[in-house]
């Protein structure tokens, strides 16, 4: 297994990651604490998809004491977004709704630039704009959300980025990110920027993301207190698997095994039918007799992670499939309908997005452009 911010491969052992990264598992006690504040427990928590954290308990403590906290997440504009990229955004929206807090969304055009020697600013600018629309369509509070491109906001952040950069040695970045003599110096510098939004307010910051981003938070946590800020908290998800099997993560680099937010109905149908790995048996007769295996069945896993929020209905699907009453084609059909419903809704919301609110004219956005981050 390999899990870095740039590569996830093999069968991911999430228990081992918790140990190796030094994070904590989200346990029943923590969930009960969240439940006190929310009417309903988000399915990502109920079903253990967000499974690990750093200091989420302290975030709740701060909130309960009235000190508050804020949220931060991000996206590298490397191309169109797939459904996996939307997962942290959907969860972040839920957290913002429950706790009514500020949210910062970093669009790392600089990261894309230094990590991809083939690209150029025109391409990056196009994807940044497209991605920002997809992200805004998730429905964040426009008065309490600030979305910024690194290249534009650098004039406000540069002093703080330098303050972090001065404290992090090359040897640390080699150990944390695996940089080597072939890495360009833009790559080596970049992590300083990604830590800074976790110090935009003198409150504890909570970062929802998949576990691959955790190395950045280790760096932030090393330097934050010496700069007069809190160590950031984070809440980590597992990876939405690709269509082709439950191992690894849906990745932009293997196009057909990912589902893109702009895939039309026909494409969704074709991809799921053609590529989705099924836990069903070879023949209908054998399936009816022996039943299917939901543990490796990607359509079932996707329903469980994202597309079937009703626990009773999901349980019914699981049992019927295991007993052979539900066929693979029927399972795929259910998923196709759900995905197409979800994407249609997404496209409608996307069409109504007022992006300027998030980037310039909303209350938090306006205030954020007035700030400089000095230490
Ligand atoms: P990026 O653009 O690669 O990914 C955006 C977010 O999506 C998560 N993610 C996934 N989640 C579930 N299943 C998947 N298959 C999957 N693939 C990606 C990522 O963990 C990430 O949360 N360097 C970052 C951009 C960034 C950022 C941040 C992300 C800047 N600041 C703060 C999170 C929080 C990046 O390249 O993300």
């Amino acid at each position: 297994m390999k899990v870095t911010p740039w590569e996830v491969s093999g069968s991911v052992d999430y228990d081992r990651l918790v140990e190796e990264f030094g994070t904590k598992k989200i346990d029943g006690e923590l969930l009960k604490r969240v439940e006190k504040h929310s009417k309903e427990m988000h399915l990502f928590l109920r079903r253990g998809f967000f499974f690990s954290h750093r200091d989420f308990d302290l975030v709740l403590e701060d909130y309960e004491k009235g000190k508050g906290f804020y949220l931060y997440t991000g996206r590298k504009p490397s191309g169109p977004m797939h459904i996996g990229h939307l997962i942290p955004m959907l969860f972040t929206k839920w957290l913002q709704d429950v706790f009514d807090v500020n949210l910062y969304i970093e669009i790392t055009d600089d990261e894309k630039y230094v990590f991809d020697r083939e690209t150029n600013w025109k391409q990056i600018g196009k994807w940044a704009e497209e991605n920002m629309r997809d992200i805004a369509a998730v429905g964040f509070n426009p008065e309490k959300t600030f979305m910024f491109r690194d290249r534009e906001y650098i004039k406000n952040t540069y002093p703080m980025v330098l303050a972090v950069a001065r404290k992090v040695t090359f040897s640390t970045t080699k150990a944390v990110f695996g940089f080597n003599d072939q890495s360009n110096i833009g790559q080596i510098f970049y992590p300083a920027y990604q830590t800074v939004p976790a110090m935009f307010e003198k409150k504890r910051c909570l970062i929802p993301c998949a576990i691959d981003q955790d190395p950045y938070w280790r760096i932030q946590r090393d330097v934050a207190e010496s700069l007069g800020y809190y160590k950031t908290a984070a809440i980590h998800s597992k990876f939405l698997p690709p269509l082709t099997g439950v191992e690894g993560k849906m990745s932009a680099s293997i196009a057909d095994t990912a589902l893109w937010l702009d895939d039309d109905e026909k494409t969704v149908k074709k991809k799921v039918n053609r590529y989705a790995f099924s836990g069903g048996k070879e023949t209908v007769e054998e399936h009816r007799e022996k039943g299917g295996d939901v543990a490796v069945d990607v359509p079932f896993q996707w329903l469980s992670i994202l597309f079937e929020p009703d626990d009773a209905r999901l349980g019914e699907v699981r049992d019927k499939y295991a007993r052979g009453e539900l066929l693979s084609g029927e399972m795929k059909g259910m998923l196709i309908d759900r995905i197409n419903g979800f994407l249609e809704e997404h496209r409608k919301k996307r069409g109504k997005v007022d992006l300027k609110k998030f980037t310039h004219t909303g209350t938090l956005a306006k205030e954020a452009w007035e700030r400089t981050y000095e230490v």
Side-chain angles (χ1 to χ4, degrees), residues 56 59 69-74 88-89 91-106 140 144-146 197-198 200-201 203-208 232-233 235 364:
F56 186 37
V59 167
F69 71 95
Y70 73 95
L71 291 161
Y72 156 44
T73 194
M89 301 296 168
F91 189 55
T92 303
K93 173 185 159 48
W94 183 78
L95 289 168
Q96 188 182 43
D97 286 349
V98 170
F99 297 101
D100 189 28
V101 289
N102 283 348
L103 161 65
Y104 299 86
I105 303 176
E106 179 183 33
F140 301 107
K144 291 194 173 189
T145 302
F146 176 48
F200 273 3
E201 296 188 15
K203 288 179 183 172
R204 215 176 288 276
C205 170
L206 174 64
I207 309 173
T232 191
I235 181 159
L364 182 65

Side-chain angles (χ1 to χ4, degrees), residues 133-312:
R133 287 192 179 281
D134 280 315
I135 294 167
V138 169
F140 301 107
N141 179 343
E143 301 303 333
K144 291 194 173 189
T145 302
F146 176 48
M147 212 185 308
F148 60 96
R149 301 179 197 209
D150 280 349
R151 197 173 74 140
E152 282 175 11
Y153 202 45
I154 185 88
K155 65 181 166 99
N156 302 59
T157 53
Y158 200 41
M160 178 95 95
V161 176
L162 288 177
V164 172
R166 191 164 75 166
K167 284 183 177 287
V168 182
T169 63
F170 182 34
S171 133
T172 300
T173 67
K174 278 200 275 193
V176 173
F177 297 101
F179 292 139
N180 57 42
D181 285 353
Q182 270 62 54
S183 309
N184 69 56
I185 59 175
Q187 294 170 341
I188 295 155
F189 180 70
Y190 168 72
Y193 205 142
Q194 188 164 326
T195 67
V196 163
M199 294 175 282
F200 273 3
E201 296 188 15
K202 290 255 175 180
K203 288 179 183 172
R204 215 176 288 276
C205 170
L206 174 64
I207 309 173
C209 58
I211 187 100
D212 62 325
Q213 297 296 310
D214 190 69
Y216 291 102
W217 321 139
R218 264 174 266 158
I219 300 272
Q220 192 275 357
R221 287 168 64 87
D222 276 354
V223 303
E225 286 178 343
S226 69
L227 296 172
Y229 290 85
Y230 284 106
K231 288 184 176 181
T232 191
I235 181 159
H236 310 109
S237 74
K238 299 177 180 172
F239 301 108
L240 182 72
L243 276 173
T244 39
V246 289
E247 287 188 358
K249 74 159 183 173
M250 180 180 284
S251 161
S253 48
I254 320 170
D256 276 344
T257 75
L259 267 179
W260 306 98
L261 297 181
D262 61 356
D263 277 346
D264 62 20
E265 291 196 5
K266 267 199 188 144
T267 310
V268 169
K269 190 170 174 190
K270 193 184 84 192
K271 275 191 193 170
V272 172
N273 280 331
R274 187 175 298 174
Y275 298 109
F277 188 86
S278 167
K281 298 288 181 294
E282 288 283 308
T283 63
V284 172
E285 292 70 38
E286 196 190 350
H287 187 87
R288 292 263 185 237
E289 193 190 321
K290 296 186 182 148
D293 181 0
V294 288
V296 297
D297 191 89
V298 171
F300 178 80
Q301 292 299 326
W302 280 24
L303 287 169
S304 163
I305 292 167
L306 188 58
F307 293 108
E308 179 48 84
D310 185 318
D311 290 344

